[in-house]
Amino acid sequence: SDPKEQVSMSVHGGLFISVEGIDGVGKSTQISALVEHLTAAGREVVHTFEPGGTELGQEIRHLLLHRKGDVAPRAEALLYAADRAHHVATKIRPALERGAVVVTDRYLDSSVAYQGAGRALDSAEVRALSMFAVENLLPDLTVLLDLPAEQALARRAKTGQEPDRLEREKVEFFEAVRQAYLEMAAREPERWLVIDASASIEVMQEQIRDRVKQLLAR
């Protein structure tokens, strides 16, 4: 990958972890367990999410997920990028610079997968837009919780939560998103950790902790 991108991963003193996957794979559970584990080990941990991890982001999240009517695909991509630019500038980068571990539920790979595969925009353009928004800041580790879309949707249905605009999409949409994630992970194996999300919560958490431990020991 581009050496400019590599540089920005290691210049900060903290550790930047993103957790990705389609809805229903168990991201929240794994993130909570990891945050608890790292906090207990004496680390400063900043737990955040996209879209909506800042006050401005909350307003953008509302526009994206809860307003009535469609959002044009390019407008949608730009709104996600605006949320991300503000998120990185005001929350993520300052935390990394003071040596914290930042764990975010979704980051720029979500945009590439959802807007790229799902919305038929060019994936490379969506990624370039996000890289501009975050000044090339990539996570040190991206954990992908992988599950076939049908299984993920069946899990999601069991929760009984009211789906938002994005969650009402068809199973084919989520399977396309899943495949996009797997392709990205295959292209950048050093950054990604792909976990079979049909495994037990404990097994998944152990795999994540092992990789994080290696990174913290660098």
Side-chain angles (χ1 to χ4, degrees):
S1 62
D2 180 4
K4 278 207 305 293
E5 287 182 12
Q6 291 302 322
V7 174
S8 59
M9 283 172 73
S10 47
V11 291
H12 54 75
L15 184 68
F16 184 18
I17 303 164
S18 62
V19 182
E20 296 284 356
I22 58 178
D23 289 304
V25 293
K27 290 195 292 18
S28 308
T29 306
Q30 292 303 323
I31 290 169
S32 299
L34 179 64
V35 168
E36 207 171 294
H37 168 71
L38 291 170
T39 305
R43 292 266 167 187
E44 183 200 349
V45 185
V46 173
H47 173 195
T48 188
F49 62 95
E50 290 190 353
T54 59
E55 271 185 41
L56 175 68
Q58 285 290 342
E59 295 184 37
I60 297 174
R61 183 185 176 90
H62 181 79
L63 289 174
L64 282 164
L65 300 178
H66 303 294
R67 67 179 288 283
K68 290 188 169 51
D70 280 338
V71 181
R74 284 173 192 267
E76 184 179 61
L78 287 160
L79 283 166
Y80 277 110
D83 168 72
R84 187 163 295 128
H86 190 70
H87 191 209
V88 167
T90 63
K91 195 169 190 175
I92 295 177
R93 234 182 244 282
L96 293 172
E97 280 165 8
R98 61 174 189 266
V101 177
V102 175
V103 184
T104 182
D105 183 339
R106 302 201 177 285
Y107 189 55
L108 59 81
D109 300 297
S110 272
S111 282
V112 179
Y114 279 82
Q115 269 75 53
R119 297 277 180 244
L121 290 179
D122 181 65
S123 297
E125 284 184 358
V126 174
R127 183 186 162 99
L129 176 65
S130 271
M131 292 298 276
F132 165 77
V134 302
E135 298 178 77
N136 294 335
L137 179 70
L138 282 174
D140 300 292
L141 170 65
T142 297
V143 177
L144 173 62
L145 301 182
D146 178 55
L147 200 61
E150 278 187 16
Q151 290 177 36
L153 290 180
R155 278 190 193 179
R156 180 122 203 112
K158 280 192 194 130
T159 65
Q161 285 173 311
E162 184 64 31
D164 64 33
R165 190 174 66 83
L166 208 56
E167 289 160 356
R168 285 193 288 270
E169 292 286 352
K170 294 183 176 62
V171 68
E172 293 78 11
F173 170 81
F174 290 106
E175 193 54 44
V177 172
R178 177 200 178 204
Q179 293 305 327
Y181 273 130
L182 289 169
E183 283 162 25
M184 286 190 278
R187 278 201 300 273
E188 284 182 87
E190 67 291 342
R191 170 162 76 92
W192 290 74
L193 170 64
V194 181
I195 290 182
D196 176 359
S198 67
S200 73
I201 289 171
E202 294 74 24
V203 165
M204 291 197 280
Q205 183 63 203
E206 201 169 310
Q207 291 176 300
I208 297 170
R209 287 180 190 180
D210 280 351
R211 178 65 83 86
V212 170
K213 191 175 162 187
Q214 289 167 25
L215 289 168
L216 288 171
R218 286 192 312 207

